[in-house]
mmCIF file of all heavy atoms in Angstrom:
data_model
loop_
_atom_site.group_PDB
_atom_site.id
_atom_site.type_symbol
_atom_site.label_atom_id
_atom_site.label_comp_id
_atom_site.label_asym_id
_atom_site.label_seq_id
_atom_site.Cartn_x
_atom_site.Cartn_y
_atom_site.Cartn_z
ATOM 1 N N TYR A 1 -4.706 14.032 5.717
ATOM 2 C CA TYR A 1 -4.639 14.575 4.361
ATOM 3 C C TYR A 1 -4.234 16.037 4.445
ATOM 4 O O TYR A 1 -4.367 16.674 5.518
ATOM 5 C CB TYR A 1 -6.016 14.438 3.634
ATOM 6 C CG TYR A 1 -7.145 15.112 4.359
ATOM 7 C CD1 TYR A 1 -7.543 16.412 4.021
ATOM 8 C CD2 TYR A 1 -7.840 14.506 5.384
ATOM 9 C CE1 TYR A 1 -8.539 17.037 4.681
ATOM 10 C CE2 TYR A 1 -8.875 15.088 6.016
ATOM 11 C CZ TYR A 1 -9.240 16.406 5.647
ATOM 12 O OH TYR A 1 -10.228 17.029 6.340
ATOM 13 N N ILE A 2 -3.773 16.596 3.380
ATOM 14 C CA ILE A 2 -3.462 18.016 3.297
ATOM 15 C C ILE A 2 -4.671 18.702 2.670
ATOM 16 O O ILE A 2 -4.995 18.428 1.505
ATOM 17 C CB ILE A 2 -2.131 18.311 2.556
ATOM 18 C CG1 ILE A 2 -0.973 17.609 3.280
ATOM 19 C CG2 ILE A 2 -1.882 19.781 2.429
ATOM 20 C CD1 ILE A 2 0.373 17.724 2.593
ATOM 21 N N ASP A 3 -5.248 19.594 3.403
ATOM 22 C CA ASP A 3 -6.555 20.201 3.023
ATOM 23 C C ASP A 3 -6.500 20.885 1.663
ATOM 24 O O ASP A 3 -7.473 20.810 0.899
ATOM 25 C CB ASP A 3 -6.950 21.166 4.103
ATOM 26 C CG ASP A 3 -8.425 21.525 4.065
ATOM 27 O OD1 ASP A 3 -9.193 20.707 3.495
ATOM 28 O OD2 ASP A 3 -8.770 22.613 4.536
ATOM 29 N N THR A 4 -5.415 21.531 1.344
ATOM 30 C CA THR A 4 -5.316 22.328 0.135
ATOM 31 C C THR A 4 -4.926 21.501 -1.075
ATOM 32 O O THR A 4 -4.997 21.968 -2.219
ATOM 33 C CB THR A 4 -4.325 23.499 0.291
ATOM 34 O OG1 THR A 4 -3.061 22.965 0.737
ATOM 35 C CG2 THR A 4 -4.829 24.514 1.284
ATOM 36 N N ILE A 5 -4.459 20.268 -0.878
ATOM 37 C CA ILE A 5 -3.997 19.419 -1.972
ATOM 38 C C ILE A 5 -4.921 18.260 -2.265
ATOM 39 O O ILE A 5 -5.216 17.943 -3.433
ATOM 40 C CB ILE A 5 -2.549 18.877 -1.700
ATOM 41 C CG1 ILE A 5 -1.613 20.059 -1.477
ATOM 42 C CG2 ILE A 5 -2.096 17.960 -2.766
ATOM 43 C CD1 ILE A 5 -0.232 19.642 -1.045
ATOM 44 N N ALA A 6 -5.401 17.600 -1.253
ATOM 45 C CA ALA A 6 -6.227 16.374 -1.424
ATOM 46 C C ALA A 6 -7.570 16.713 -2.018
ATOM 47 O O ALA A 6 -8.145 17.820 -1.778
ATOM 48 C CB ALA A 6 -6.438 15.669 -0.114
ATOM 49 N N ASN A 7 -8.127 15.769 -2.825
ATOM 50 C CA ASN A 7 -9.409 15.938 -3.406
ATOM 51 C C ASN A 7 -10.481 15.800 -2.305
ATOM 52 O O ASN A 7 -10.591 14.763 -1.683
ATOM 53 C CB ASN A 7 -9.609 14.862 -4.494
ATOM 54 C CG ASN A 7 -10.899 15.008 -5.262
ATOM 55 O OD1 ASN A 7 -11.798 15.774 -4.862
ATOM 56 N ND2 ASN A 7 -10.999 14.329 -6.401
ATOM 57 N N PRO A 8 -11.327 16.811 -2.099
ATOM 58 C CA PRO A 8 -12.347 16.745 -1.039
ATOM 59 C C PRO A 8 -13.348 15.593 -1.204
ATOM 60 O O PRO A 8 -13.851 15.064 -0.264
ATOM 61 C CB PRO A 8 -13.047 18.101 -1.071
ATOM 62 C CG PRO A 8 -12.220 18.991 -1.926
ATOM 63 C CD PRO A 8 -11.346 18.102 -2.773
ATOM 64 N N LYS A 9 -13.591 15.226 -2.492
ATOM 65 C CA LYS A 9 -14.516 14.092 -2.725
ATOM 66 C C LYS A 9 -13.982 12.767 -2.236
ATOM 67 O O LYS A 9 -14.687 11.927 -1.706
ATOM 68 C CB LYS A 9 -14.921 14.020 -4.172
ATOM 69 C CG LYS A 9 -15.710 15.188 -4.725
ATOM 70 C CD LYS A 9 -15.985 15.093 -6.155
ATOM 71 C CE LYS A 9 -16.758 16.299 -6.657
ATOM 72 N NZ LYS A 9 -16.967 16.285 -8.133
ATOM 73 N N VAL A 10 -12.677 12.596 -2.469
ATOM 74 C CA VAL A 10 -12.027 11.383 -2.003
ATOM 75 C C VAL A 10 -11.996 11.302 -0.491
ATOM 76 O O VAL A 10 -12.280 10.271 0.131
ATOM 77 C CB VAL A 10 -10.578 11.298 -2.536
ATOM 78 C CG1 VAL A 10 -9.799 10.092 -1.964
ATOM 79 C CG2 VAL A 10 -10.573 11.173 -4.070
ATOM 80 N N VAL A 11 -11.696 12.471 0.166
ATOM 81 C CA VAL A 11 -11.663 12.477 1.632
ATOM 82 C C VAL A 11 -13.018 12.189 2.184
ATOM 83 O O VAL A 11 -13.180 11.422 3.151
ATOM 84 C CB VAL A 11 -11.182 13.895 2.105
ATOM 85 C CG1 VAL A 11 -11.258 14.006 3.612
ATOM 86 C CG2 VAL A 11 -9.730 14.135 1.645
ATOM 87 N N GLU A 12 -14.100 12.767 1.610
ATOM 88 C CA GLU A 12 -15.455 12.509 2.091
ATOM 89 C C GLU A 12 -15.882 11.063 1.874
ATOM 90 O O GLU A 12 -16.532 10.438 2.750
ATOM 91 C CB GLU A 12 -16.413 13.456 1.385
ATOM 92 C CG GLU A 12 -17.816 13.361 1.910
ATOM 93 C CD GLU A 12 -17.956 13.560 3.418
ATOM 94 O OE1 GLU A 12 -17.241 14.500 3.973
ATOM 95 O OE2 GLU A 12 -18.709 12.848 4.076
ATOM 96 N N GLU A 13 -15.477 10.486 0.755
ATOM 97 C CA GLU A 13 -15.779 9.084 0.500
ATOM 98 C C GLU A 13 -15.125 8.151 1.506
ATOM 99 O O GLU A 13 -15.735 7.179 2.043
ATOM 100 C CB GLU A 13 -15.381 8.674 -0.928
ATOM 101 C CG GLU A 13 -15.694 7.271 -1.307
ATOM 102 C CD GLU A 13 -17.174 6.967 -1.341
ATOM 103 O OE1 GLU A 13 -17.975 7.877 -1.578
ATOM 104 O OE2 GLU A 13 -17.497 5.774 -1.167
ATOM 105 N N ILE A 14 -13.853 8.464 1.853
ATOM 106 C CA ILE A 14 -13.134 7.630 2.854
ATOM 107 C C ILE A 14 -13.789 7.798 4.199
ATOM 108 O O ILE A 14 -13.979 6.763 4.947
ATOM 109 C CB ILE A 14 -11.648 8.010 2.882
ATOM 110 C CG1 ILE A 14 -10.993 7.572 1.590
ATOM 111 C CG2 ILE A 14 -10.944 7.416 4.120
ATOM 112 C CD1 ILE A 14 -9.560 8.099 1.406
ATOM 113 N N ARG A 15 -14.192 9.025 4.568
ATOM 114 C CA ARG A 15 -14.872 9.251 5.828
ATOM 115 C C ARG A 15 -16.166 8.417 5.890
ATOM 116 O O ARG A 15 -16.443 7.776 6.927
ATOM 117 C CB ARG A 15 -15.212 10.733 5.939
ATOM 118 C CG ARG A 15 -14.263 11.551 6.661
ATOM 119 C CD ARG A 15 -14.918 12.914 6.912
ATOM 120 N NE ARG A 15 -13.921 13.933 6.797
ATOM 121 C CZ ARG A 15 -13.964 14.959 5.947
ATOM 122 N NH1 ARG A 15 -14.956 15.153 5.158
ATOM 123 N NH2 ARG A 15 -12.947 15.824 5.922
ATOM 124 N N SER A 16 -16.955 8.464 4.844
ATOM 125 C CA SER A 16 -18.257 7.784 4.884
ATOM 126 C C SER A 16 -18.065 6.254 4.946
ATOM 127 O O SER A 16 -18.840 5.548 5.594
ATOM 128 C CB SER A 16 -19.102 8.134 3.687
ATOM 129 O OG SER A 16 -18.543 7.673 2.467
ATOM 130 N N ARG A 17 -17.025 5.740 4.258
ATOM 131 C CA ARG A 17 -16.787 4.304 4.296
ATOM 132 C C ARG A 17 -16.318 3.866 5.682
ATOM 133 O O ARG A 17 -16.696 2.769 6.138
ATOM 134 C CB ARG A 17 -15.765 3.891 3.243
ATOM 135 C CG ARG A 17 -16.329 3.966 1.849
ATOM 136 C CD ARG A 17 -15.342 3.496 0.810
ATOM 137 N NE ARG A 17 -15.879 3.749 -0.512
ATOM 138 C CZ ARG A 17 -15.389 3.165 -1.599
ATOM 139 N NH1 ARG A 17 -14.371 2.345 -1.550
ATOM 140 N NH2 ARG A 17 -15.892 3.409 -2.776
ATOM 141 N N ILE A 18 -15.550 4.691 6.374
ATOM 142 C CA ILE A 18 -15.076 4.330 7.690
ATOM 143 C C ILE A 18 -16.305 4.349 8.663
ATOM 144 O O ILE A 18 -16.444 3.491 9.534
ATOM 145 C CB ILE A 18 -13.978 5.280 8.171
ATOM 146 C CG1 ILE A 18 -12.671 4.933 7.411
ATOM 147 C CG2 ILE A 18 -13.744 5.162 9.680
ATOM 148 C CD1 ILE A 18 -11.553 5.879 7.682
ATOM 149 N N LYS A 19 -17.179 5.361 8.493
ATOM 150 C CA LYS A 19 -18.313 5.462 9.399
ATOM 151 C C LYS A 19 -19.291 4.310 9.176
ATOM 152 O O LYS A 19 -19.999 3.943 10.138
ATOM 153 C CB LYS A 19 -19.022 6.771 9.171
ATOM 154 C CG LYS A 19 -18.295 7.949 9.673
ATOM 155 C CD LYS A 19 -18.968 9.292 9.370
ATOM 156 C CE LYS A 19 -18.101 10.453 9.848
ATOM 157 N NZ LYS A 19 -18.705 11.781 9.432
ATOM 158 N N ARG A 20 -19.319 3.635 8.022
ATOM 159 C CA ARG A 20 -20.266 2.584 7.767
ATOM 160 C C ARG A 20 -19.738 1.257 8.274
ATOM 161 O O ARG A 20 -20.453 0.262 8.280
ATOM 162 C CB ARG A 20 -20.466 2.425 6.263
ATOM 163 C CG ARG A 20 -21.426 3.476 5.707
ATOM 164 C CD ARG A 20 -21.724 3.140 4.279
ATOM 165 N NE ARG A 20 -20.485 3.100 3.491
ATOM 166 C CZ ARG A 20 -20.342 3.556 2.281
ATOM 167 N NH1 ARG A 20 -21.376 4.043 1.649
ATOM 168 N NH2 ARG A 20 -19.202 3.509 1.679
ATOM 169 N N ILE A 21 -18.482 1.163 8.687
ATOM 170 C CA ILE A 21 -17.928 -0.103 9.155
ATOM 171 C C ILE A 21 -18.569 -0.601 10.418
ATOM 172 O O ILE A 21 -18.650 0.179 11.379
ATOM 173 C CB ILE A 21 -16.380 -0.011 9.344
ATOM 174 C CG1 ILE A 21 -15.678 0.258 8.025
ATOM 175 C CG2 ILE A 21 -15.831 -1.263 10.002
ATOM 176 C CD1 ILE A 21 -14.221 0.533 8.154
ATOM 177 N N ASP A 22 -19.076 -1.802 10.410
ATOM 178 C CA ASP A 22 -19.752 -2.331 11.577
ATOM 179 C C ASP A 22 -19.130 -3.721 11.853
ATOM 180 O O ASP A 22 -19.429 -4.699 11.205
ATOM 181 C CB ASP A 22 -21.237 -2.466 11.331
ATOM 182 C CG ASP A 22 -21.993 -3.000 12.575
ATOM 183 O OD1 ASP A 22 -21.543 -2.669 13.714
ATOM 184 O OD2 ASP A 22 -23.058 -3.628 12.419
ATOM 185 N N ILE A 23 -18.199 -3.768 12.772
ATOM 186 C CA ILE A 23 -17.428 -4.984 13.106
ATOM 187 C C ILE A 23 -17.093 -4.944 14.594
ATOM 188 O O ILE A 23 -17.072 -3.840 15.197
ATOM 189 C CB ILE A 23 -16.138 -5.066 12.210
ATOM 190 C CG1 ILE A 23 -15.463 -6.446 12.365
ATOM 191 C CG2 ILE A 23 -15.231 -3.950 12.537
ATOM 192 C CD1 ILE A 23 -14.350 -6.634 11.360
ATOM 193 N N ASP A 24 -16.848 -6.112 15.170
ATOM 194 C CA ASP A 24 -16.512 -6.168 16.581
ATOM 195 C C ASP A 24 -15.154 -5.563 16.870
ATOM 196 O O ASP A 24 -14.995 -4.869 17.874
ATOM 197 C CB ASP A 24 -16.546 -7.646 17.103
ATOM 198 C CG ASP A 24 -17.928 -8.135 17.206
ATOM 199 O OD1 ASP A 24 -18.863 -7.345 17.308
ATOM 200 O OD2 ASP A 24 -18.068 -9.398 17.188
ATOM 201 N N GLY A 25 -14.160 -5.793 16.012
ATOM 202 C CA GLY A 25 -12.831 -5.256 16.321
ATOM 203 C C GLY A 25 -11.969 -5.122 15.086
ATOM 204 O O GLY A 25 -12.028 -5.896 14.146
ATOM 205 N N ILE A 26 -11.123 -4.102 15.120
ATOM 206 C CA ILE A 26 -10.114 -3.889 14.082
ATOM 207 C C ILE A 26 -8.786 -4.096 14.797
ATOM 208 O O ILE A 26 -8.418 -3.364 15.695
ATOM 209 C CB ILE A 26 -10.148 -2.454 13.509
ATOM 210 C CG1 ILE A 26 -11.480 -2.208 12.793
ATOM 211 C CG2 ILE A 26 -8.971 -2.181 12.607
ATOM 212 C CD1 ILE A 26 -11.593 -2.750 11.478
ATOM 213 N N LEU A 27 -8.032 -5.126 14.403
ATOM 214 C CA LEU A 27 -6.765 -5.443 15.071
ATOM 215 C C LEU A 27 -5.577 -4.992 14.247
ATOM 216 O O LEU A 27 -4.435 -4.925 14.790
ATOM 217 C CB LEU A 27 -6.677 -6.922 15.353
ATOM 218 C CG LEU A 27 -7.827 -7.474 16.269
ATOM 219 C CD1 LEU A 27 -7.645 -8.995 16.415
ATOM 220 C CD2 LEU A 27 -7.829 -6.786 17.621
ATOM 221 N N GLU A 28 -5.752 -4.781 12.982
ATOM 222 C CA GLU A 28 -4.648 -4.431 12.081
ATOM 223 C C GLU A 28 -5.242 -3.646 10.903
ATOM 224 O O GLU A 28 -6.393 -3.703 10.652
ATOM 225 C CB GLU A 28 -3.931 -5.685 11.609
ATOM 226 C CG GLU A 28 -2.465 -5.573 11.361
ATOM 227 C CD GLU A 28 -2.131 -5.140 9.943
ATOM 228 O OE1 GLU A 28 -2.908 -5.403 9.021
ATOM 229 O OE2 GLU A 28 -1.120 -4.492 9.758
ATOM 230 N N SER A 29 -4.361 -2.899 10.207
ATOM 231 C CA SER A 29 -4.869 -2.080 9.130
ATOM 232 C C SER A 29 -5.452 -2.882 7.923
ATOM 233 O O SER A 29 -6.264 -2.407 7.134
ATOM 234 C CB SER A 29 -3.754 -1.189 8.604
ATOM 235 O OG SER A 29 -2.638 -1.930 8.151
ATOM 236 N N ALA A 30 -5.084 -4.125 7.809
ATOM 237 C CA ALA A 30 -5.615 -4.999 6.725
ATOM 238 C C ALA A 30 -7.123 -5.229 6.931
ATOM 239 O O ALA A 30 -7.825 -5.369 5.937
ATOM 240 C CB ALA A 30 -4.872 -6.325 6.675
#
């Protein structure tokens, strides 16, 4: 993301959702 343009709340929400993922493997972006 571009720090001066992107909404910080959106960035933080994406970070927290990624950190909550509990799966054996991610093989593709889907």
Side-chain angles (χ1 to χ4, degrees):
Y1 59 95
I2 299 178
D3 197 25
T4 54
I5 300 175
N7 185 346
K9 292 178 183 176
V10 172
V11 174
E12 185 55 41
E13 180 65 26
I14 291 171
R15 268 191 216 121
S16 68
R17 289 184 187 196
I18 288 174
K19 288 177 183 175
R20 284 187 301 220
I21 295 174
D22 185 28
I23 190 172
D24 287 338
I26 298 282
L27 301 177
E28 212 271 333
S29 59

